[in-house]
Coordinates of all heavy atoms in Angstrom, one line a residue:
M13 N 3.1 6.5 30.5 CA 2.5 6.9 31.8 C 1.0 6.7 31.7 O 0.4 7.0 30.6 CB 2.8 8.4 32.1 CG 2.4 8.8 33.5 SD 3.0 10.5 33.7 CE 2.2 10.9 35.2
K14 N 0.4 6.2 32.7 CA -1.1 5.9 32.7 C -1.8 7.1 33.4 O -1.4 7.6 34.5 CB -1.4 4.6 33.4 CG -0.9 3.4 32.5 CD -1.1 2.1 33.3 CE -0.6 1.0 32.4 NZ -0.6 -0.3 33.1
F15 N -2.9 7.4 32.9 CA -3.8 8.5 33.4 C -5.2 7.9 33.7 O -5.6 7.1 33.0 CB -3.9 9.7 32.5 CG -2.6 10.4 32.2 CD1 -1.9 10.1 31.1 CD2 -2.1 11.3 33.1 CE1 -0.7 10.8 30.8 CE2 -0.9 12.0 32.9 CZ -0.2 11.7 31.8
P16 N -5.8 8.4 34.8 CA -7.2 7.9 35.1 C -8.2 8.4 34.1 O -8.0 9.5 33.5 CB -7.4 8.4 36.5 CG -6.6 9.6 36.6 CD -5.3 9.3 35.8
R17 N -9.2 7.6 33.8 CA -10.2 8.0 32.9 C -11.0 9.2 33.3 O -11.5 10.0 32.5 CB -11.2 6.8 32.7 CG -11.9 6.8 31.3 CD -12.6 5.5 31.1 NE -11.6 4.5 30.7 CZ -11.1 4.3 29.4 NH1 -11.5 5.2 28.5 NH2 -10.3 3.4 29.1
S18 N -11.1 9.5 34.6 CA -11.7 10.7 35.1 C -11.0 11.2 36.3 O -10.4 10.4 37.0 CB -13.2 10.5 35.4 OG -13.3 9.7 36.5
M19 N -11.0 12.5 36.4 CA -10.3 13.1 37.6 C -11.1 14.3 38.1 O -11.8 15.0 37.3 CB -8.8 13.4 37.3 CG -8.6 14.4 36.3 SD -6.9 15.0 36.3 CE -6.1 13.7 35.4
R20 N -10.9 14.6 39.4 CA -11.5 15.8 40.0 C -10.6 16.9 40.0 O -9.5 16.8 40.7 CB -12.0 15.4 41.4 CG -13.1 16.2 41.9 CD -13.6 15.6 43.2 NE -14.3 16.7 44.0 CZ -15.5 17.1 43.7 NH1 -16.2 16.6 42.7 NH2 -16.0 18.1 44.4
T21 N -10.9 18.0 39.3 CA -10.0 19.2 39.3 C -10.8 20.5 39.1 O -12.0 20.4 38.9 CB -8.9 19.0 38.1 OG1 -8.0 20.0 38.2 CG2 -9.6 19.0 36.8
Y22 N -10.1 21.6 39.1 CA -10.7 22.9 39.1 C -11.3 23.2 37.7 O -10.6 23.0 36.7 CB -9.7 24.0 39.5 CG -10.3 25.3 39.5 CD1 -11.1 25.7 40.6 CD2 -10.1 26.3 38.5 CE1 -11.6 27.0 40.7 CE2 -10.6 27.5 38.6 CZ -11.4 27.9 39.7 OH -11.9 29.1 39.7
C23 N -12.5 23.6 37.6 CA -13.1 24.1 36.4 C -13.3 25.6 36.4 O -13.9 26.1 37.3 CB -14.5 23.4 36.2 SG -15.4 24.1 34.7
P24 N -12.6 26.4 35.5 CA -12.7 27.8 35.5 C -14.1 28.4 35.3 O -14.4 29.5 35.7 CB -11.7 28.3 34.4 CG -11.1 27.1 33.9 CD -11.8 25.9 34.4
R25 N -14.9 27.6 34.6 CA -16.3 28.1 34.3 C -17.2 27.9 35.5 O -18.0 28.8 35.9 CB -16.9 27.4 33.1 CG -18.0 28.2 32.5 CD -18.8 27.4 31.4 NE -18.2 27.7 30.1 CZ -18.6 27.0 29.0 NH1 -19.5 26.0 29.2 NH2 -18.1 27.2 27.9
C26 N -17.1 26.7 36.1 CA -17.9 26.4 37.3 C -17.3 27.1 38.6 O -18.0 27.2 39.6 CB -18.0 24.9 37.6 SG -18.8 24.0 36.2
K27 N -16.0 27.5 38.5 CA -15.3 28.1 39.6 C -15.2 27.2 40.8 O -15.3 27.7 41.9 CB -15.8 29.5 39.9 CG -15.6 30.5 38.8 CD -16.1 31.8 39.1 CE -15.7 32.8 37.9 NZ -16.6 33.9 37.8
T28 N -15.2 25.9 40.6 CA -15.0 25.0 41.7 C -14.5 23.7 41.2 O -14.4 23.5 39.9 CB -16.4 24.7 42.4 OG1 -16.2 23.8 43.5 CG2 -17.4 24.2 41.5
H29 N -14.1 22.8 42.1 CA -13.6 21.5 41.6 C -14.8 20.6 41.2 O -15.8 20.5 41.9 CB -12.9 20.8 42.7 CG -11.4 21.2 42.8 ND1 -11.0 22.5 43.1 CD2 -10.3 20.5 42.6 CE1 -9.7 22.6 43.1 NE2 -9.2 21.4 42.8
T30 N -14.7 20.0 40.0 CA -15.7 19.1 39.5 C -15.0 17.9 38.9 O -13.8 17.9 38.6 CB -16.6 19.8 38.4 OG1 -15.7 20.3 37.4 CG2 -17.4 20.9 39.0
E31 N -15.8 16.9 38.5 CA -15.3 15.7 37.8 C -15.1 16.0 36.4 O -15.9 16.6 35.7 CB -16.4 14.6 38.0 CG -15.8 13.2 37.9 CD -14.9 12.7 39.0 OE1 -15.1 13.2 40.1 OE2 -14.0 11.9 38.7
H32 N -13.9 15.6 35.8 CA -13.6 15.8 34.4 C -13.3 14.5 33.8 O -12.7 13.6 34.4 CB -12.3 16.7 34.3 CG -12.6 18.1 34.6 ND1 -12.9 18.6 35.9 CD2 -12.5 19.2 33.8 CE1 -13.0 19.9 35.8 NE2 -12.8 20.3 34.6
S33 N -13.7 14.3 32.5 CA -13.3 13.1 31.8 C -12.0 13.4 31.1 O -11.8 14.5 30.5 CB -14.3 12.7 30.8 OG -14.6 13.7 29.9
V34 N -11.1 12.5 31.0 CA -9.7 12.7 30.5 C -9.5 12.0 29.2 O -9.9 10.9 29.0 CB -8.7 12.1 31.6 CG1 -7.3 12.2 31.1 CG2 -8.9 12.7 32.9
S35 N -8.9 12.7 28.3 CA -8.4 12.1 27.0 C -7.1 12.8 26.6 O -6.7 13.8 27.1 CB -9.5 12.3 25.9 OG -9.8 13.6 25.7
I36 N -6.4 12.2 25.6 CA -5.1 12.7 25.2 C -5.4 13.5 24.0 O -6.0 13.1 23.0 CB -4.2 11.5 24.9 CG1 -3.8 10.9 26.3 CG2 -2.9 12.0 24.3 CD1 -3.3 9.5 26.2
Y37 N -4.8 14.7 24.0 CA -4.9 15.7 22.9 C -4.3 15.1 21.6 O -3.2 14.6 21.6 CB -4.2 17.0 23.2 CG -4.1 17.9 22.0 CD1 -5.1 18.7 21.6 CD2 -2.9 17.9 21.3 CE1 -5.0 19.5 20.4 CE2 -2.7 18.7 20.2 CZ -3.8 19.5 19.8 OH -3.6 20.3 18.6
K38 N -5.1 15.2 20.5 CA -4.5 14.9 19.2 C -4.7 16.0 18.2 O -5.8 16.7 18.3 CB -5.3 13.6 18.7 CG -4.8 12.4 19.3 CD -5.4 11.1 18.6 CE -5.0 9.9 19.3 NZ -6.1 9.0 19.6
A39 N -3.8 16.3 17.4 CA -3.9 17.4 16.4 C -5.0 17.1 15.5 O -5.3 16.0 15.1 CB -2.6 17.5 15.7
G40 N -5.7 18.2 15.0 CA -6.8 18.0 14.1 C -6.4 17.7 12.7 O -5.2 17.7 12.4
K41 N -7.3 17.3 11.9 CA -7.0 16.9 10.5 C -6.6 18.1 9.7 O -7.2 19.2 9.8 CB -8.3 16.3 9.9 CG -8.1 15.5 8.6 CD -9.5 15.0 8.1 CE -9.3 14.4 6.8 NZ -10.6 14.0 6.2
R42 N -5.6 18.0 8.8 CA -5.1 19.0 8.0 C -6.1 19.2 6.8 O -6.5 18.2 6.2 CB -3.7 18.7 7.3 CG -2.7 18.4 8.4 CD -2.3 19.6 9.2 NE -1.6 20.6 8.4 CZ -0.2 20.7 8.4 NH1 0.5 19.9 9.0 NH2 0.3 21.7 7.6
R43 N -6.6 20.4 6.6 CA -7.6 20.7 5.6 C -7.0 21.6 4.5 O -6.5 22.7 4.7 CB -8.8 21.3 6.1 CG -9.6 20.2 6.9 CD -10.8 20.8 7.7 NE -11.1 19.9 8.8 CZ -11.8 18.8 8.6 NH1 -12.3 18.5 7.4 NH2 -12.1 18.0 9.6
A44 N -7.0 21.1 3.2 CA -6.4 21.8 2.1 C -7.0 23.1 1.8 O -6.3 24.0 1.3 CB -6.5 20.9 0.9
A45 N -8.2 23.4 2.2 CA -8.8 24.7 1.9 C -8.5 25.8 2.9 O -8.8 26.9 2.7 CB -10.3 24.5 1.8
K46 N -7.9 25.4 4.0 CA -7.6 26.4 5.1 C -6.5 27.3 4.7 O -5.6 27.0 3.9 CB -7.3 25.7 6.4 CG -8.4 24.9 7.0 CD -9.5 25.9 7.4 CE -10.7 25.2 8.0 NZ -11.8 26.1 8.4
L47 N -6.5 28.5 5.2 CA -5.6 29.6 4.8 C -4.1 29.2 4.9 O -3.3 29.5 4.0 CB -5.8 30.9 5.6 CG -5.0 32.1 5.2 CD1 -5.1 32.4 3.8 CD2 -5.3 33.3 6.1
G48 N -3.7 28.6 6.0 CA -2.3 28.2 6.2 C -1.8 27.3 5.1 O -0.7 27.4 4.6
E49 N -2.7 26.3 4.8 CA -2.3 25.3 3.7 C -2.2 26.0 2.4 O -1.3 25.7 1.6 CB -3.3 24.2 3.7 CG -3.4 23.4 4.9 CD -2.2 22.4 5.1 OE1 -1.6 22.0 4.0 OE2 -1.9 22.0 6.2
R50 N -3.2 26.9 2.1 CA -3.2 27.6 0.8 C -2.0 28.5 0.7 O -1.3 28.6 -0.4 CB -4.5 28.5 0.7 CG -5.7 27.7 0.6 CD -6.9 28.5 0.1 NE -7.1 29.8 0.6 CZ -8.0 30.2 1.6 NH1 -8.7 29.3 2.1 NH2 -8.1 31.4 1.9
R51 N -1.6 29.2 1.8 CA -0.5 30.1 1.8 C 0.8 29.3 1.5 O 1.7 29.7 0.7 CB -0.4 30.8 3.1 CG 0.5 32.0 3.2 CD 0.5 32.6 4.5 NE -0.7 33.5 4.7 CZ -1.3 33.7 5.8 NH1 -0.8 33.2 6.9 NH2 -2.4 34.5 5.9
Q52 N 0.9 28.2 2.2 CA 2.1 27.3 2.0 C 2.2 26.8 0.6 O 3.3 26.7 0.0 CB 2.1 26.2 3.0 CG 3.2 25.2 2.9 CD 4.6 25.8 3.2 OE1 4.8 26.9 3.4 NE2 5.6 24.9 3.2
A53 N 1.0 26.5 0.0 CA 1.0 26.0 -1.4 C 1.5 27.1 -2.4 O 2.3 26.8 -3.3 CB -0.4 25.6 -1.8
V54 N 1.1 28.4 -2.1 CA 1.6 29.5 -2.9 C 3.1 29.7 -2.7 O 3.8 29.9 -3.7 CB 0.8 30.8 -2.5 CG1 1.4 32.0 -3.1 CG2 -0.6 30.7 -2.9
R55 N 3.6 29.6 -1.5 CA 5.0 29.7 -1.2 C 5.8 28.7 -2.0 O 6.9 29.0 -2.5 CB 5.3 29.5 0.3 CG 5.0 30.7 1.1 CD 5.5 30.5 2.5 NE 5.0 31.5 3.5 CZ 4.4 31.1 4.6 NH1 4.2 29.9 4.9 NH2 4.0 32.1 5.4
K56 N 5.3 27.5 -2.0 CA 6.1 26.4 -2.6 C 6.0 26.3 -4.2 O 6.7 25.5 -4.8 CB 5.7 25.0 -2.0 CG 6.1 24.9 -0.6 CD 6.0 23.5 -0.1 CE 7.2 22.7 -0.5 NZ 7.3 21.4 0.2
K57 N 5.1 27.1 -4.7 CA 4.8 27.1 -6.1 C 6.0 27.7 -6.9 O 6.6 28.6 -6.4 CB 3.5 27.9 -6.4 CG 2.8 27.6 -7.6 CD 1.5 28.4 -7.6 CE 1.0 28.6 -9.0 NZ -0.1 29.5 -9.0
G58 N 6.2 27.2 -8.1 CA 7.3 27.7 -9.0 C 8.7 27.4 -8.5 O 8.9 26.4 -7.8
Y59 N 9.6 28.2 -8.9 CA 11.0 28.0 -8.6 C 11.3 28.3 -7.1 O 10.6 29.2 -6.6 CB 12.0 28.8 -9.5 CG 11.9 28.4 -10.9 CD1 11.3 29.2 -11.8 CD2 12.6 27.3 -11.3 CE1 11.3 28.9 -13.2 CE2 12.5 26.9 -12.7 CZ 11.9 27.7 -13.6 OH 11.8 27.3 -14.9
G60 N 12.2 27.6 -6.5 CA 12.6 28.0 -5.1 C 12.3 26.9 -4.1 O 13.2 26.5 -3.4
G61 N 11.1 26.4 -4.1 CA 10.7 25.3 -3.2 C 10.5 25.8 -1.8 O 9.9 26.8 -1.5
Q62 N 11.0 25.0 -0.8 CA 10.8 25.1 0.6 C 11.2 26.5 1.1 O 12.3 27.0 0.8 CB 11.6 24.0 1.4 CG 11.3 24.0 2.8 CD 9.9 23.5 3.1 OE1 9.2 22.8 2.3 NE2 9.3 24.0 4.3
K63 N 10.4 27.2 1.8 CA 10.6 28.6 2.2 C 11.2 28.7 3.6 O 11.5 29.8 4.1 CB 9.4 29.4 2.1 CG 8.9 29.6 0.7 CD 9.9 30.3 -0.2 CE 9.4 30.3 -1.6 NZ 10.4 30.8 -2.6
F64 N 11.2 27.6 4.4 CA 11.8 27.7 5.8 C 12.5 26.4 6.0 O 12.1 25.3 5.4 CB 10.7 28.0 6.8 CG 9.5 27.1 6.8 CD1 9.6 25.9 7.5 CD2 8.4 27.4 6.1 CE1 8.5 25.0 7.4 CE2 7.3 26.5 6.0 CZ 7.4 25.4 6.7
P65 N 13.5 26.3 6.8 CA 14.3 25.1 7.0 C 13.4 24.0 7.7 O 12.8 24.3 8.7 CB 15.5 25.5 7.8 CG 15.1 26.8 8.5 CD 14.1 27.4 7.6
L66 N 13.5 22.8 7.1 CA 12.8 21.7 7.8 C 13.9 21.0 8.7 O 15.0 20.9 8.4 CB 12.4 20.6 6.7 CG 11.2 20.9 5.8 CD1 11.0 19.8 4.9 CD2 10.0 21.1 6.7
Q67 N 13.4 20.6 9.9 CA 14.3 20.0 10.8 C 14.5 18.5 10.4 O 13.5 17.8 10.3 CB 13.8 20.1 12.2 CG 14.9 19.8 13.2 CD 14.5 20.1 14.6 OE1 13.4 20.5 14.9 NE2 15.4 19.9 15.5
H68 N 15.7 18.1 10.3 CA 16.0 16.7 9.9 C 16.5 15.8 11.0 O 16.1 14.7 11.2 CB 16.9 16.6 8.7 CG 16.3 17.2 7.4 ND1 15.2 16.6 6.8 CD2 16.5 18.3 6.7 CE1 14.8 17.3 5.8 NE2 15.6 18.3 5.7
N69 N 17.5 16.4 11.8 CA 18.2 15.7 12.8 C 17.5 15.9 14.2 O 17.9 16.9 14.9 CB 19.7 16.0 12.9 CG 20.3 15.9 11.5 OD1 20.0 15.0 10.7 ND2 21.1 16.9 11.2
Q70 N 16.5 15.1 14.5 CA 15.8 15.3 15.7 C 16.7 14.8 16.9 O 17.2 13.7 16.9 CB 14.5 14.6 15.7 CG 13.3 15.5 15.6 CD 12.9 15.8 14.2 OE1 13.5 15.3 13.3 NE2 12.0 16.8 14.0
A71 N 16.8 15.7 17.9 CA 17.6 15.3 19.1 C 16.7 14.6 20.1 O 17.2 13.7 20.9 CB 18.2 16.5 19.7
K72 N 15.5 14.9 20.1 CA 14.6 14.3 21.2 C 13.9 13.1 20.7 O 13.6 12.9 19.5 CB 13.6 15.4 21.5 CG 14.2 16.6 22.2 CD 13.2 17.6 22.7 CE 13.8 18.6 23.6 NZ 14.9 19.4 22.9
V73 N 13.7 12.2 21.6 CA 13.1 10.9 21.3 C 11.7 10.8 21.8 O 11.0 9.8 21.5 CB 13.9 9.7 21.9 CG1 15.3 9.6 21.3 CG2 14.0 9.8 23.4
T74 N 11.2 11.9 22.4 CA 9.8 11.9 22.9 C 9.1 13.1 22.3 O 9.7 14.0 21.8 CB 9.8 12.0 24.4 OG1 10.6 13.1 24.8 CG2 10.3 10.7 25.0
K75 N 7.8 13.1 22.4 CA 7.0 14.2 22.0 C 6.2 14.7 23.2 O 5.9 13.9 24.1 CB 6.0 13.8 20.9 CG 6.6 13.7 19.6 CD 5.6 13.5 18.5 CE 6.3 13.6 17.1 NZ 5.4 13.4 16.0
K76 N 5.9 16.0 23.2 CA 5.1 16.5 24.3 C 3.7 16.1 24.2 O 3.1 16.2 23.1 CB 5.2 18.0 24.3 CG 6.4 18.6 25.0 CD 6.3 20.0 25.3 CE 7.6 20.5 26.1 NZ 7.6 21.9 26.3
Q77 N 3.1 15.6 25.2 CA 1.7 15.1 25.2 C 0.9 15.8 26.2 O 1.4 16.0 27.4 CB 1.7 13.6 25.4 CG 2.6 12.9 24.5 CD 2.2 11.5 24.2 OE1 1.0 11.2 24.0 NE2 3.1 10.6 24.1
S78 N -0.2 16.3 25.8 CA -1.0 17.0 26.8 C -2.4 16.4 27.0 O -2.9 15.7 26.0 CB -1.2 18.5 26.4 OG -1.5 18.6 25.1
L79 N -3.0 16.6 28.1 CA -4.2 16.0 28.4 C -5.4 16.9 28.1 O -5.2 18.1 28.3 CB -4.3 15.6 29.9 CG -3.4 14.5 30.4 CD1 -3.7 14.2 31.9 CD2 -3.7 13.2 29.7
K80 N -6.5 16.4 27.6 CA -7.6 17.2 27.4 C -8.7 16.8 28.5 O -9.0 15.6 28.6 CB -8.2 16.9 26.0 CG -9.0 18.0 25.4 CD -9.2 17.7 23.9 CE -10.4 16.8 23.7 NZ -10.8 16.6 22.3
L81 N -9.1 17.8 29.3 CA -10.0 17.5 30.3 C -11.4 18.2 30.0 O -11.4 19.3 29.8 CB -9.5 18.0 31.7 CG -8.1 17.5 32.1 CD1 -7.6 18.3 33.3 CD2 -8.1 16.1 32.4
E82 N -12.4 17.4 30.1 CA -13.8 17.9 29.9 C -14.6 17.9 31.1 O -14.7 16.8 31.7 CB -14.5 17.2 28.7 CG -15.8 17.8 28.4 CD -16.5 17.2 27.2 OE1 -16.0 16.2 26.6 OE2 -17.6 17.6 26.9
C83 N -15.1 19.1 31.5 CA -15.9 19.1 32.7 C -17.2 18.4 32.5 O -17.9 18.6 31.5 CB -16.2 20.6 33.1 SG -17.3 20.8 34.5
K84 N -17.6 17.5 33.4 CA -18.8 16.7 33.3 C -20.0 17.6 33.6 O -21.2 17.2 33.3 CB -18.7 15.5 34.1 CG -17.8 14.4 33.5 CD -17.8 13.2 34.3 CE -16.8 12.2 33.7 NZ -16.7 11.0 34.6
E85 N -19.9 18.7 34.3 CA -21.0 19.5 34.7 C -21.4 20.5 33.6 O -22.5 20.6 33.2 CB -20.6 20.4 36.0 CG -20.1 19.6 37.1 CD -21.1 19.0 38.0 OE1 -22.1 19.7 38.2 OE2 -21.0 17.9 38.4
C86 N -20.4 21.2 33.0 CA -20.7 22.2 32.0 C -20.1 22.0 30.6 O -20.5 22.7 29.7 CB -20.2 23.6 32.5 SG -18.5 23.8 32.6
G87 N -19.3 21.0 30.5 CA -18.7 20.7 29.2 C -17.5 21.5 28.8 O -17.0 21.4 27.7
Y88 N -17.0 22.4 29.7 CA -15.9 23.2 29.4 C -14.6 22.3 29.2 O -14.4 21.4 30.0 CB -15.7 24.2 30.5 CG -14.5 25.1 30.3 CD1 -14.7 26.3 29.6 CD2 -13.3 24.9 30.8 CE1 -13.7 27.2 29.4 CE2 -12.2 25.8 30.7 CZ -12.5 27.0 29.9 OH -11.5 27.9 29.7
I89 N -13.9 22.5 28.1 CA -12.7 21.7 27.9 C -11.4 22.5 28.2 O -11.3 23.6 27.7 CB -12.6 21.2 26.4 CG1 -13.8 20.3 26.2 CG2 -11.3 20.5 26.1 CD1 -14.0 19.9 24.7
L90 N -10.5 21.9 29.0 CA -9.3 22.6 29.3 C -8.1 21.6 29.0 O -8.4 20.4 29.0 CB -9.2 23.1 30.7 CG -9.3 22.2 31.9 CD1 -8.2 22.4 32.9 CD2 -10.6 22.4 32.6
Q91 N -7.0 22.2 28.8 CA -5.8 21.3 28.5 C -4.8 21.5 29.6 O -4.5 22.6 30.1 CB -5.2 21.7 27.2 CG -5.9 21.1 26.0 CD -5.2 21.4 24.7 OE1 -4.0 21.5 24.7 NE2 -5.9 21.5 23.6
R92 N -4.1 20.4 29.9 CA -3.0 20.4 30.8 C -1.7 20.7 30.0 O -1.6 20.4 28.9 CB -2.9 19.0 31.5 CG -3.8 18.8 32.7 CD -3.3 19.6 33.9 NE -4.3 20.0 34.7 CZ -4.9 19.4 35.7 NH1 -4.5 18.2 36.0 NH2 -5.8 19.9 36.5
K93 N -0.8 21.3 30.7 CA 0.5 21.7 30.1 C 1.2 20.4 29.6 O 1.2 19.4 30.4 CB 1.3 22.4 31.1 CG 2.6 23.0 30.6 CD 3.3 23.7 31.7 CE 4.7 24.2 31.2 NZ 5.4 24.8 32.3
G94 N 1.7 20.4 28.4 CA 2.3 19.2 27.8 C 3.6 18.7 28.6 O 4.4 19.6 28.9
I95 N 3.7 17.4 28.8 CA 4.9 16.9 29.3 C 5.5 15.9 28.4 O 4.8 15.2 27.6 CB 4.7 16.3 30.8 CG1 3.5 15.3 30.8 CG2 4.5 17.4 31.8 CD1 3.4 14.6 32.0
R96 N 6.8 15.7 28.4 CA 7.5 14.8 27.5 C 7.3 13.3 28.0 O 7.7 13.0 29.1 CB 9.0 15.1 27.4 CG 9.2 16.4 26.7 CD 10.5 16.5 26.1 NE 10.5 17.7 25.2 CZ 10.2 17.6 23.9 NH1 9.9 16.5 23.4 NH2 10.2 18.7 23.2
L97 N 6.7 12.5 27.1 CA 6.4 11.1 27.5 C 6.7 10.3 26.3 O 6.4 10.7 25.2 CB 5.0 10.9 28.0 CG 4.5 11.6 29.2 CD1 3.0 11.4 29.4 CD2 5.2 11.0 30.4
K98 N 7.2 9.1 26.5 CA 7.3 8.1 25.4 C 5.9 7.6 25.0 O 5.5 7.4 23.9 CB 8.2 7.0 25.7 CG 9.7 7.4 25.5 CD 10.6 6.3 25.4 CE 12.0 6.8 25.0 NZ 13.0 5.7 25.0
K99 N 5.1 7.3 26.1 CA 3.8 6.7 25.9 C 2.8 7.2 26.9 O 3.1 7.2 28.1 CB 3.9 5.2 26.0 CG 2.7 4.5 25.6 CD 2.8 3.0 25.7 CE 1.5 2.2 25.4 NZ 1.6 0.8 25.8
A100 N 1.7 7.7 26.5 CA 0.7 8.2 27.4 C -0.6 7.4 27.1 O -1.0 7.2 25.9 CB 0.4 9.7 27.2
E101 N -1.2 6.9 28.1 CA -2.5 6.1 27.9 C -3.5 6.4 29.0 O -3.1 6.7 30.2 CB -2.2 4.6 27.7 CG -1.6 3.9 28.9 CD -1.5 2.4 28.7 OE1 -2.4 1.9 28.1 OE2 -0.5 1.8 29.1
V102 N -4.8 6.4 28.6 CA -5.8 6.6 29.6 C -6.4 5.2 30.0 O -6.7 4.4 29.1 CB -6.9 7.5 29.0 CG1 -8.1 7.6 29.9 CG2 -6.4 8.8 28.7
V103 N -6.4 4.9 31.3 CA -6.9 3.6 31.7 C -8.1 3.7 32.5 O -8.4 4.8 33.1 CB -5.8 2.8 32.5 CG1 -4.7 2.3 31.6 CG2 -5.2 3.6 33.6
Ligands
LIG27 ZN1 -17.5 23.2 34.6

């Protein structure tokens, strides 16, 4: 699905409709020093291994993709609710 590079929508900080720049949300880089990663490393240490079941047989062929909208007036960033798409692109 194609999305416009900018769209006019409601900004909760400006409390009115303003122009927003559109991009597709991407997960941040995993950092080894962060608490969740350290905790998981402790869990996996020693005998026992994986502490929660990993999903192997995926039923779904798509991933939820959400849009990141940045207000051009105040810089406030909001996200649109994720929808299942095979391909999302900003044109
Ligand atoms: Zn704004």
Side-chain angles (χ1 to χ4, degrees):
M13 193 176 169
K14 288 175 181 172
F15 295 99
R17 205 166 283 281
S18 70
M19 63 167 81
R20 200 172 159 77
T21 188
Y22 183 77
C23 172
R25 198 191 269 172
C26 300
K27 291 180 177 156
T28 181
H29 275 63
T30 54
E31 201 69 30
H32 286 68
S33 59
V34 178
S35 56
I36 291 158
Y37 166 81
K38 283 190 182 127
K41 193 182 175 188
R42 304 292 291 263
R43 287 171 201 280
K46 292 293 179 184
L47 181 58
E49 295 286 335
R50 295 197 316 259
R51 193 178 284 151
Q52 177 65 354
V54 169
R55 281 191 193 125
K56 291 193 81 166
K57 205 172 152 188
Y59 292 107
Q62 188 66 28
K63 296 296 176 189
F64 53 87
L66 285 179
Q67 192 172 6
H68 293 295
N69 309 319
Q70 252 87 8
K72 292 181 170 61
V73 294
T74 54
K75 283 188 172 180
K76 278 193 176 176
Q77 307 210 39
S78 47
L79 290 183
K80 205 169 86 176
L81 304 172
E82 185 177 357
C83 177
K84 285 181 181 175
E85 307 277 319
C86 69
Y88 185 84
I89 296 173
L90 62 128
Q91 276 186 36
R92 278 284 149 89
K93 191 178 175 185
I95 51 173
R96 292 203 168 269
L97 292 171
K98 280 198 171 171
K99 190 181 174 189
E101 61 176 323
V102 176
V103 288

